[in-house]
Amino acid sequence: MNFTDKIIHLHHCRGVGWQTMKKILLADPSLTTLYTQSYTHWKNTLPISATKLQTFYHDLHHLNIQELIQQYKNNDIEIVTIVDDDYPNLLKQIHDPPWVLYLRGDRRLLTFEYSLGVVGARKPSEYGVAALKRVLPPLVKKNYVIISGVATGIDAAAHRIAIDCQGKTIGILGGGHYHMYPVSNIPLATNIIKYGLLISETPPSRRPEPWMFPVRNRIISGLSKGVFVVEARARSGSLITAKLALEQGREVFAIPGNITSELSAGSNFLIQEGAKMVLSAADIDVEIVY
């Protein structure tokens, strides 16, 4: 089994998270001893519970990873690992880049030049959607790839605007490809695959869990040269994404909103804290391009 397949296998082992994979790879960068180490060795070296350790050890020695990889190919799911040539350079720059990405659609979009992450309210106002429709089309026509989380509301609107303007879009899933969430966005996900790229850090058969969605936000910001916030409450996932973007050295943009609207509290706060206020597409373009 080659090195790439070993990374993919390790990524499929339940009980193993990002930090545990890092520990294993630091101790054995070529994964030469992955299948020969004893249970006692893993028990003494991995910082995980006994239950997780048992699950990990079972999957390590019982999963037929090559059979799974072939199954993915049969379902048009491609795999890129952090050691592959077309793994996105922008994503490599973040603190905790995904070890493995599962792809459906146009893999070439991993190496795009201009990219903009778009996040916002799940239940936006008419104003928020109208503002998005005003700002995004000129950027799409300038070949920006629009990246969002395939959620309802602003996410879905951003993907649809990119597709309607005959541009490219990337959707980042929380769970695996076999368990699209929300179900109401399956037609949208199908269009994203057709006209862009759908990405998941999670193996295809894994069902989405609540903790996966905040984690995937780092991929939205990590793949983007800037993150555009369109309506966000004072406490929202959009603010988490904006915070991650700042930590990753990305530009943060926000649409100003009515000061009496709860939907604008978060985005107005970002502007107050230094995010660039957006009144037109040019406000974003000048920062990303130059």
Side-chain angles (χ1 to χ4, degrees):
M1 189 179 297
N2 62 39
F3 177 64
T4 301
D5 287 354
K6 288 180 181 178
I7 290 182
I8 297 168
H9 189 173
L10 191 56
H11 193 247
H12 276 71
C13 291
R14 294 166 298 165
V16 172
W18 191 91
Q19 291 290 353
T20 306
M21 279 193 66
K22 180 180 180 181
K23 189 175 181 67
I24 293 171
L25 283 162
L26 284 175
D28 182 11
S30 61
L31 296 178
T32 304
T33 63
L34 183 63
Y35 300 114
T36 58
Q37 296 287 10
S38 68
Y39 182 87
T40 302
H41 166 82
W42 296 121
K43 180 179 179 181
N44 293 334
T45 58
L46 298 184
I48 56 178
S49 68
T51 301
K52 288 184 176 180
L53 180 63
Q54 290 170 3
T55 304
F56 160 69
Y57 195 76
H58 175 274
D59 288 353
L60 184 63
H61 292 284
H62 291 86
L63 275 180
N64 187 332
I65 196 62
Q66 291 174 326
E67 185 177 283
L68 282 174
I69 291 172
Q70 185 58 50
Q71 179 194 112
Y72 300 156
K73 288 180 180 178
N74 295 342
N75 286 280
D76 298 319
I77 297 173
E78 297 182 74
I79 303 174
V80 60
T81 74
I82 198 167
V83 299
D84 292 325
D85 291 339
D86 60 346
Y87 187 94
N89 286 327
L90 276 175
L91 206 51
K92 282 184 180 179
Q93 296 170 12
I94 72 173
H95 171 67
D96 50 355
W99 301 108
V100 182
L101 295 171
Y102 302 89
L103 320 171
R104 293 189 70 190
D106 188 353
R107 183 172 180 149
R108 294 171 299 176
L109 292 183
L110 293 174
T111 55
F112 47 78
E113 185 174 4
Y114 298 128
S115 54
L116 181 69
V118 180
V119 295
R122 297 291 177 92
K123 295 180 179 179
S125 68
E126 290 184 11
Y127 163 74
V129 175
L132 193 62
K133 288 180 177 179
R134 176 174 178 172
V135 173
L136 278 196
L139 297 174
V140 173
K141 290 173 184 176
K142 294 191 72 170
N143 294 320
Y144 277 74
V145 176
I146 304 303
I147 303 171
S148 198
V150 205
T152 56
I154 292 298
D155 285 26
H159 291 304
R160 291 192 180 102
I161 289 168
I163 292 169
D164 290 345
C165 292
Q166 299 181 319
K168 298 298 183 182
T169 187
I170 296 177
I172 313 297
L173 298 175
H177 281 279
Y178 294 160
H179 301 284
M180 177 63 209
Y181 180 86
V183 174
S184 59
N185 275 355
I186 288 178
L188 172 62
T190 301
N191 273 337
I192 292 173
I193 293 168
K194 185 176 180 180
Y195 298 106
L197 180 63
L198 197 63
I199 298 176
S200 174
E201 179 186 14
T202 308
S205 61
R206 297 262 178 94
R207 292 183 179 276
E209 298 179 39
W211 64 267
M212 294 177 179
F213 294 94
V215 171
R216 69 92 192 267
N217 288 349
R218 82 191 198 287
I219 303 177
I220 296 175
S221 55
L223 279 172
S224 306
K225 290 193 173 181
V227 169
F228 181 31
V229 180
V230 183
E231 291 194 320
R233 295 179 183 274
R235 292 185 177 183
S236 67
S238 299
L239 294 191
I240 293 172
T241 309
K243 181 175 182 293
L244 289 167
L246 289 171
E247 291 172 355
Q248 295 164 355
R250 308 299 194 250
E251 299 288 344
V252 176
F253 308 93
I255 286 284
N258 188 328
I259 63 171
T260 65
S261 170
E262 290 184 6
L263 279 174
S264 296
S267 43
N268 286 344
F269 170 77
L270 288 174
I271 293 170
Q272 195 174 43
E273 291 294 299
K276 182 163 184 178
M277 181 170 64
V278 172
L279 302 179
S280 71
D283 295 324
I284 293 174
D285 191 40
V286 70
E287 300 294 340
I288 299 293
V289 176
Y290 301 103

